[in-house]
Each structure stands twice: as C-alpha cells, then as structure tokens.
Amino acid sequence: HTAPPDTAATAETLPENVFTSISEDWLDALTCWLEDNDPGFEEIEYHDGVLTFKIPDGMTFVVNRQTPNRELWLSSPVRGPSHFQLYSVDGRPEWIESKTGSNL
C-alpha cells in the first residue's frame, strides 16, 4: 500500500470541469485498456462517468465518477466499495484509496 503524498494537490481544490476532464480521460483510458487486454470479460460498458465490467464468473465491477466528492468509486464484489481521491504525483494523476492508500 502506498500512502497519499503529503504535498500532492488533491481534487478537492479542482474546478468541476477540470476534475471531470481528468476523470473522463482516465476512465476512457481504462476502458480502452480493458477492451485491448480483455481476458474474456462478458461485458465492458462505459457511459457518462460509469464503467461497468463483468468477468466470466458473473461478478460485476463498477467504477464511477463522483463529481461532488471529486472521487472515483469502485464497487467490487470481492472487496466491497472503495473511494479513490485524485492526487497529482510527478505531474500525472494518481487515484489513491482514502482508507488504505492503494492505487486504483
């Protein structure tokens, strides 16, 4: 686990349009990566800030943008819900889980 950087700028201070743009780019990139590296997902769907993917055993994962909180939320049937905050680390966005410090 990685602790959130002490000096990183968090998304709380970002204007909504900037947060939306950064999160949209990240979710688009994740969607493309999942589609390009698909190990047999039953479904991959992305629309309006919500990415849903279902793995062959029927488990469904959801990553969605929570604009008011400036977070991405992950709903996992394995680990339950997780909330990820945006940090700028070496000039690039990093999504870090608020409780554990894990990266998304």
Side-chain angles (χ1 to χ4, degrees):
H1 299 299
T2 306
D6 292 334
T7 59
T10 66
E12 295 170 352
T13 60
L14 287 177
E16 182 175 319
N17 65 326
V18 174
F19 173 79
T20 299
S21 177
I22 292 170
S23 60
E24 186 78 16
D25 289 348
W26 193 89
L27 287 165
D28 281 341
L30 178 57
T31 301
C32 289
W33 186 89
L34 289 171
E35 291 172 345
D36 291 346
N37 297 284
D38 181 356
F41 292 123
E42 292 181 11
E43 176 184 330
I44 301 171
E45 183 177 325
Y46 178 64
H47 179 70
D48 198 28
V50 180
L51 170 61
T52 305
F53 55 100
K54 184 185 285 188
I55 60 177
D57 66 1
M59 290 194 289
T60 300
F61 296 79
V62 179
V63 180
N64 66 310
R65 180 178 56 235
Q66 293 293 316
T67 303
N69 299 15
R70 304 294 196 269
E71 295 178 333
L72 289 181
W73 290 2
L74 168 64
S75 174
S76 164
V78 177
R79 293 187 53 208
S82 298
H83 299 186
F84 294 82
Q85 297 174 332
L86 176 63
Y87 289 83
S88 176
V89 179
D90 297 327
R92 67 180 194 282
E94 293 277 340
W95 297 95
I96 299 175
E97 210 275 331
S98 54
K99 292 180 183 175
T100 66
S102 299
N103 289 7
L104 182 62

